[in-house]
Amino acid sequence: MKNLITAKDNNVGKSTIVELLLWTLGCELQFDSKWTNRDCTALVYFSIGDFDYSIRRYKNQISIRADNGERIDFPKITGEFSQWFAEKVGFKALLPSRTQQLETPPPAYFFLPFYIDQKKSWLRAWDGFENLGQYDNWKSSIIKYHVGLLTPEYFNIEKDRHDKKGEQKYLQDDIKKIDVTLDIVGKYIPQISDAITTDKKKFENMTEEIREDLTSLSIQQEASLNELARLQGEYAYQMHQQSVSSSIIKELDKDYLFSVENIEGDLIDCPICGTTHDNSVYSKASILADKQEAENQLNQIISNVNSLAAKIEKTNFNIADIRDRIAIINEKYVIEDENQKTIVLSEIIENIAGKSIEFKVKETRNTKVIEENELKNQLSSLKKAQKDILKEIDEEAIMVDFNNFFNEYIKFLGADDINASEITSPLSYNKVSKEGGAAENVRAMLAYYLTVYNLIVNYGQDIKAPLIIDTPNQHEQSNTNYEKIIQLLLDKYPKNNQIFLCAMENSQIDKYKTDANIIVLDANKILQQQLYNTVRAEFNFFDTGADELLR
C-alpha cells in the first residue's frame, strides 16, 4: 500500500506527521520548540497482523487499547511497554544495559531500518532517532538481527548465558573472599605437630574442670577467629568498592567539566560511533545527579568500612582476652610432643580452632569451585549452541542477496561514482555515507536502506513495518535522477508492503500517486481548528469508550 504525504510548500508539517506517528509508538525524535512547547498528546490507530490497536502517548506515558476494549497503561517507554511492543511485533533482540542487565530495547531499535528521516538518515544510516546511545555497541547486534544473521533462538541462549555469567561472577567474588579468609586464618594457626591436636590421650591428664574450661575457651576462640576472618574479608571487599566509587566520582567530575567548558550547544556527535548525544542542561544536571548518587554510595561505603574496622578492633580485643585467660591455665599445664618439645595449651586450642575454621572454609570453597566449574561447562555448551545456530543460518545467501540488491539499485539510480566493492554487507553502513558526491550519496543511502528492507522481508523473523521515507529529493537531485528514485520505489519495493513517502508536489511523483493514499497539507498545517471537535471525540472515545463529545 502506497501512502503519500505532500504539499506545495515546505514547512507545513510533512515530516511532523511521520515523526508523530513514530513518537506515539515509542520512538524518540528531535522536535522543534514549536511542538515541544505545545505539550501535545497523540493518538494512532494501527494493526499488527489480524489485530487492531490504538495507542495514545503523552510525554512518556503510553496507553494501549485493543479491539476487545482492554486498556493497558504504561508509565514509561522502557521496561514493560518495550516488552509488550516487542512481543506483538516478534522483536526478539536483546541488548545489555549500562548496568549490564540484558533487556528488550525500546521500539526505536525495531523501527530503525524502516525510517529514513529528513535530517540525519541521508547522512548516516541507523541514526534516525534520538537517545540511541543508551546502549553501547548496539548496531552490530541490531543490524544482524534485522537482516536474519542473528535469530530469536540465538538471543534466547544469550539471555541464559548472561544470567549464568552473573551467577559465575557472584561465585568468583565469593571465592575471592574465601581466599582472603584462608590467608587471614593461616596467620593465626600455630604450626605444631598434628599428633598433639588429634591424640586424645594428651588431654586425659587434665582434670574435668580444666577440660570444661578449655572446651569453652576453644569454642569462644573458634567463634572469634571465624568472625574476624569474615570481617577481614568484608573489610577488604568494602575497601575495593571504596576505590571503585572514588574513581567513578572523579570520572563524573571530568564529564561535567568537559560538557560545560568544552562543548557548545545541546548536542554532541560521537566521533567514534557517530551517535548524537544529548548535552542539554538536563543532561548536564543528570551528570551531577549521578555524581551525587555516587557520593552517597561512597559515604555509605566509608561508613561500612569504619563500622567494620570498629568490629575488627573489638573482635581482636575479644581474642586477646581469651588468650589472656588461656595463659592463666598455661601457667599450670603444659604438654610435650613426641620430640619432647613443650607445647602450651593456648597453641593447642588455637590450632584446633584454626584447623576447624580452615576445614569449614575450604569445604565451602570447594563447593563453590565445583559450582563455578559446572557453570563454565554450561556456558561453554551454550556458546556451542549459539555457534550451531549461526552455522544453520545461510550467511552466504544473505550476503549474496545484499550485494545483488545493492549493486542493482546503484546501477538503476545511475550512481556510477559509488564504489560498491567497498560496501559488501549490511554492516558496511559507514562506507555508504563516504562514497560519491552529495547527490549521489543520497541515492546510495536510499539503495542501502531499500536493500536492507528487502533482506528483512526475505530473512527477518519479526513483523515488517512500513518503510517511511522523508523527502528523498535531497541535495537538489536532477529531474532525471529524482524520476529514477521514484521509479525505484515503484519497481523494486517489495509488493504487499506499506510505504510512506513525504515529498513536495512536482511532476516527478505523479506516477507514485497512482493508487496511493494521498494526504495533502497546506498552510493550515496539521493542527486544524475546524477538526478540533472530531479529534477531541476520538480522544474521548479512547479514554472513556463513549461516543459523545466532551463539552
Side-chain angles (χ1 to χ4, degrees), residues 6-7 473 479 482 486 503-511 513:
T6 186
N473 191 16
N479 289 339
Y482 194 29
I486 299 301
M504 292 284 291
E505 279 282 6
N506 57 50
S507 59
Q508 280 74 35
I509 64 172
D510 286 345
K511 289 183 180 180
K513 287 181 177 180

Side-chain angles (χ1 to χ4, degrees), residues 1-2 511-517:
M1 179 180 177
K2 294 182 295 181
K511 289 183 180 180
Y512 183 89
K513 287 181 177 180
T514 305
D515 299 326
N517 175 42

Side-chain angles (χ1 to χ4, degrees), residues 99 132 144 184 197 214 229 275 295 322 414 448 541:
T99 58
L132 295 173
K144 287 181 178 180
I184 294 169
T197 63
L214 290 177
T275 301
E295 288 176 342
I322 293 170
Y448 173 82
F541 183 75

Side-chain angles (χ1 to χ4, degrees), residues 520-534:
V520 180
L521 299 176
D522 55 28
N524 292 323
K525 301 188 178 181
I526 62 176
L527 294 182
Q528 299 180 24
Q529 186 174 357
Q530 65 271 26
L531 295 177
Y532 174 80
N533 285 336
T534 301

Side-chain angles (χ1 to χ4, degrees), residues 280-329:
S280 63
V281 173
Y282 173 80
S283 178
K284 295 170 184 175
S286 69
I287 297 175
L288 293 178
D290 290 343
K291 179 188 174 185
Q292 183 61 52
E293 183 179 350
E295 288 176 342
N296 292 339
Q297 184 180 31
L298 177 60
N299 290 335
Q300 182 59 50
I301 292 172
I302 292 173
S303 176
N304 293 341
V305 168
N306 293 335
S307 176
L308 287 168
K311 290 179 180 179
I312 290 171
E313 183 179 359
K314 182 179 179 181
T315 303
N316 278 322
F317 177 82
N318 291 338
I319 292 173
D321 180 64
I322 293 170
R323 286 177 173 173
D324 288 342
R325 291 158 62 189
I326 291 174
I328 295 174
I329 300 176

Side-chain angles (χ1 to χ4, degrees), residues 161-434:
R161 286 186 66 230
H162 189 272
D163 292 342
K164 292 188 183 300
K165 283 182 178 180
E167 295 177 28
Q168 184 185 39
K169 185 179 185 306
Y170 182 81
L171 284 171
Q172 289 171 342
D173 288 343
D174 274 358
I175 291 171
K176 288 179 182 179
K177 290 182 181 180
I178 289 172
D179 288 339
V180 171
T181 299
L182 288 172
D183 288 341
I184 294 169
V185 170
K187 295 176 182 179
Y188 282 87
I189 299 177
Q191 301 301 312
I192 61 176
S193 170
D194 289 340
I196 292 296
T197 63
T198 57
D199 189 355
K200 294 183 180 179
K201 291 183 179 180
K202 296 295 182 180
F203 295 96
E204 290 178 356
N205 294 329
M206 302 178 188
T207 65
E208 188 65 26
E209 179 181 1
I210 296 300
R211 182 175 302 177
E212 291 177 358
D213 288 344
L214 290 177
T215 299
S216 175
L217 290 171
S218 176
I219 293 172
Q220 291 178 45
Q221 181 153 285
E222 179 179 344
S224 296
L225 287 171
N226 194 22
E227 176 67 5
L228 180 62
R230 185 190 69 79
L231 292 171
Q232 291 278 21
E234 183 63 25
Y235 182 84
Y237 176 76
Q238 290 290 336
M239 288 296 292
H240 174 70
Q241 292 298 104
Q242 181 177 338
S243 175
V244 171
S245 294
S246 297
S247 298
I248 291 173
I249 291 171
K250 290 179 181 178
E251 290 301 318
L252 288 171
D253 271 333
K254 292 178 182 178
D255 288 347
Y256 181 75
L257 288 175
F258 183 81
S259 69
V260 172
E261 297 179 359
N262 296 280
I263 306 298
E264 295 182 358
D266 291 339
L267 297 174
I268 177 173
D269 289 333
C270 176
I272 297 175
C273 68
T275 301
T276 299
H277 298 283
D278 183 27
N279 191 47
S280 63
V281 173
Y282 173 80
S283 178
K284 295 170 184 175
S286 69
I287 297 175
L288 293 178
D290 290 343
K291 179 188 174 185
Q292 183 61 52
E293 183 179 350
E295 288 176 342
N296 292 339
Q297 184 180 31
L298 177 60
N299 290 335
Q300 182 59 50
I301 292 172
I302 292 173
S303 176
N304 293 341
V305 168
N306 293 335
S307 176
L308 287 168
K311 290 179 180 179
I312 290 171
E313 183 179 359
K314 182 179 179 181
T315 303
N316 278 322
F317 177 82
N318 291 338
I319 292 173
D321 180 64
I322 293 170
R323 286 177 173 173
D324 288 342
R325 291 158 62 189
I326 291 174
I328 295 174
I329 300 176
N330 281 334
E331 292 178 359
K332 297 182 179 180
Y333 296 93
V334 294
I335 296 175
E336 293 182 348
D337 64 10
E338 63 273 16
N339 298 319
Q340 307 301 311
K341 180 181 177 181
T342 298
I343 308 296
V344 297
L345 293 180
S346 62
E347 292 179 343
I348 297 174
I349 295 172
E350 290 175 5
N351 188 273
I352 293 173
K355 289 292 185 182
S356 175
I357 294 172
E358 187 178 50
F359 175 79
K360 291 178 181 178
V361 172
K362 283 183 176 179
E363 191 175 52
T364 300
R365 186 185 191 280
N366 290 338
T367 300
K368 291 186 179 294
V369 168
I370 291 171
E371 291 177 5
E372 191 204 355
N373 288 334
E374 177 61 27
L375 281 173
K376 285 181 180 178
N377 292 334
Q378 292 176 15
L379 286 168
S380 178
S381 298
L382 290 172
K383 188 66 175 177
K384 181 180 181 302
Q386 284 184 316
K387 289 181 178 179
D388 291 340
I389 288 174
L390 294 178
K391 289 178 182 177
E392 295 175 1
I393 297 172
D394 196 344
E395 181 178 352
E396 182 179 356
I398 295 174
M399 293 306 177
V400 168
D401 275 1
F402 175 87
N403 284 280
N404 287 342
F405 282 129
F406 186 73
N407 285 308
E408 177 187 357
Y409 299 160
I410 287 295
K411 183 177 180 180
F412 189 99
L413 293 169
D416 301 325
D417 287 343
I418 299 298
N419 184 6
S421 65
E422 293 292 318
I423 304 164
T424 57
S425 86
L427 297 173
S428 304
Y429 57 92
N430 276 330
K431 295 179 180 179
V432 178
S433 61
K434 297 177 181 178

